[in-house]
C-alpha cells in the first residue's frame, strides 16, 4: 500500500502509546467509574436511553485497531444482564484522559448519550447543579473514601474528620497527629477549583460570594494551621487517587 493510500485510509506508521488508551494498572472499579465521570463531565452526563424509556449508565472503552494503528472508542452499557456496545469513532489525543473526554463529546453529539433529566419538583436550575448539590456532603465523600482506602493499604494510619487543633474550629478530612499533617479533600465546586469550577447562572452573585468565602476560609485555615506547626495538604476531588496518595506519602516522608 502506498503512503498516499495509507493516509487516505487513516493508517499510521506506529502503534499509539499505551498512555493514550490503556487504563492505569491496578485501577479499582470505583476508580475507573470516577475516571469516566470526570471525562464525561459528571455521572449525570452518562445516561444511555434504552427501549421503554429505560436508562443505563454508559462508559467509554478505548481499543487500538492494529490494522490501521489507530484508537477506536466504543460506548458500553449493561442491558438485561448483557454488555452492549456501540462504536463512537476514532480518537487521537496524546493521553487516555484526553481521548476519553473526546469520545464522550462525540457520543453526545451523535445522540448516543444524554444528561439525566431533572426529577419532577426539583428546584435545581440544571442537571449539573443538581448533581453538585446531591454529591455535596460534609464528610465521607467518594474521593475521601478512595484516598483513605489506598492509604490504609499502604500501611498508613490516620484519624478521620477531626480538628487538628482542638480549640480551632476547622476540621480536616485526614489527620496525622504525630507527623502534624492535615489533609483536606476539596470539592471542585464548593472550593472554587481553577480547572472545573463554573459559576452558577441563577442567583450567580449569591453563589459566587459563597464560593469566595469558602476560598478565603481555606486560605485562613492553611495560615492558622501552619502558624501552629502543621503541614497542610489540599487535594482536589478530581485528582487521580493514586497521585493523591503519592502527594500525601511524600509529605509524610519529608
Amino acid at each position: 500500500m502506498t503512503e498516499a493510500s495509507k493516509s487516505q485510509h487513516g493508517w499510521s506508521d506506529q502503534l499509539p502509546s499505551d498512555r493514550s488508551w490503556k487504563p492505569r494498572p491496578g485501577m479499582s472499579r470505583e476508580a475507573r467509574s470516577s475516571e469516566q465521570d470526570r471525562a464525561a463531565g459528571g455521572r449525570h452526563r452518562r445516561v444511555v436511553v434504552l427501549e421503554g424509556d429505560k436508562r443505563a449508565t454508559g462508559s467509554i472503552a478505548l481499543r487500538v485497531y492494529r490494522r490501521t494503528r489507530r484508537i477506536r472508542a466504543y460506548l458500553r452499557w449493561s442491558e438485561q444482564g448483557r454488555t452492549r456496545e456501540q462504536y463512537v469513532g476514532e480518537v487521537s489525543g496524546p493521553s487516555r484522559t484526553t481521548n476519553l473526554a473526546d469520545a464522550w463529546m462525540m457520543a453526545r453529539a451523535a445522540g448516543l448519550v444524554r444528561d439525566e433529566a431533572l426529577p419532577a419538583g426539583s428546584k435545581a436550575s440544571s442537571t449539573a447543579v443538581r448533581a453538585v448539590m446531591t454529591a455535596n456532603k460534609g464528610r465521607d465523600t467518594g474521593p475521601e473514601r478512595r484516598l483513605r482506602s489506598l492509604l490504609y493499604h499502604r500501611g498508613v494510619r490516620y484519624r478521620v474528620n477531626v480538628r487538628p487543633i482542638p480549640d480551632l474550629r476547622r476540621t480536616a478530612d485526614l489527620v496525622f497527629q504525630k507527623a502534624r499533617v492535615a489533609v483536606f479533600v476539596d470539592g471542585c465546586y464548593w472550593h472554587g477549583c481553577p480547572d472545573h469550577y463554573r459559576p452558577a447562572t441563577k442567583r450567580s452573585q449569591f453563589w459566587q460570594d459563597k464560593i469566595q468565602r469558602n476560598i478565603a476560609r481555606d486560605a485562613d485555615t492553611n495560615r492558622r494551621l501552619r502558624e501552629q506547626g502543621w503541614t497542610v495538604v489540599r487535594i482536589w476531588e478530581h485528582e487521580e487517587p493514586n497521585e493523591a496518595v503519592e502527594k500525601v506519602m511524600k509529605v509524610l516522608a519529608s
Side-chain angles (χ1 to χ4, degrees):
M1 184 178 287
T2 65
E3 293 300 320
S5 179
K6 286 183 179 181
S7 176
Q8 180 181 358
H9 290 84
W11 282 66
S12 175
D13 290 332
Q14 296 181 340
L15 285 171
S17 67
D18 287 353
R19 68 182 298 270
S20 66
W21 66 281
K22 280 189 175 182
R24 185 186 299 272
M27 286 184 71
S28 66
R29 179 181 297 182
E30 189 176 28
R32 291 196 185 200
S33 181
S34 295
E35 178 188 50
Q36 295 286 338
D37 289 347
R38 291 192 296 270
R43 181 171 292 268
H44 66 287
R45 309 209 73 190
R46 295 170 54 188
V47 177
V48 181
V49 180
L50 311 177
E51 291 185 5
D53 204 31
K54 295 181 179 179
R55 305 283 192 274
T57 300
S59 61
I60 293 292
L62 301 178
R63 303 183 192 131
V64 168
Y65 186 44
R66 294 185 178 275
R67 184 166 177 267
T68 59
R69 300 181 178 87
R70 296 177 70 84
I71 304 171
R72 287 186 167 189
Y74 296 83
L75 177 68
R76 307 184 75 200
W77 67 94
S78 179
E79 184 178 357
Q80 296 181 345
R82 298 182 61 182
T83 299
R84 310 285 187 180
E85 68 178 27
Q86 171 71 47
Y87 175 64
V88 174
E90 291 186 345
V91 290
S92 57
S95 69
R96 175 176 167 85
T97 299
T98 299
N99 287 327
L100 285 175
D102 288 348
W104 276 111
M105 289 180 63
M106 289 190 291
R108 189 165 295 108
L112 300 177
V113 295
R114 73 183 192 189
D115 289 1
E116 180 183 8
L118 283 171
S122 174
K123 296 181 180 180
S125 59
S126 68
T127 53
V129 170
R130 183 174 183 271
V132 169
M133 300 303 182
T134 302
N136 180 53
K137 298 189 296 183
R139 56 185 294 174
D140 294 330
T141 64
E144 288 176 34
R145 293 197 306 271
R146 287 191 290 274
L147 179 62
R148 296 200 309 246
S149 177
L150 290 171
L151 285 169
Y152 187 87
H153 283 92
R154 293 282 288 268
V156 180
R157 300 298 180 258
Y158 43 78
R159 299 185 66 193
V160 177
N161 297 312
V162 297
R163 298 179 185 178
I165 303 172
D167 59 354
L168 177 63
R169 297 185 61 184
R170 305 295 164 88
T171 301
D173 297 309
L174 298 176
V175 171
F176 301 86
Q177 196 76 40
K178 187 175 180 179
R180 297 181 73 79
V181 172
V183 179
F184 298 83
V185 182
D186 294 333
C188 290
Y189 182 82
W190 295 108
H191 294 263
C193 170
D195 295 328
H196 299 105
Y197 170 67
R198 297 293 182 272
T201 56
K202 292 187 177 181
R203 301 183 68 194
S204 59
Q205 192 59 54
F206 170 84
W207 289 112
Q208 288 177 31
D209 290 346
K210 182 176 180 60
I211 301 305
Q212 288 303 315
R213 288 196 298 271
N214 289 344
I215 292 173
R217 180 180 173 85
D218 290 342
D220 182 64
T221 298
N222 295 348
R223 178 183 61 79
R224 288 172 178 252
L225 289 177
R226 287 167 181 160
E227 287 177 349
Q228 297 294 321
W230 285 77
T231 299
V232 177
V233 180
R234 288 201 174 266
I235 295 170
W236 290 111
E237 66 173 339
H238 71 259
E239 292 188 53
E240 205 283 322
N242 286 293
E243 294 178 0
V245 167
E246 292 304 324
K247 181 186 293 187
V248 176
M249 296 297 292
K250 183 177 180 180
V251 172
L252 292 175
S254 62

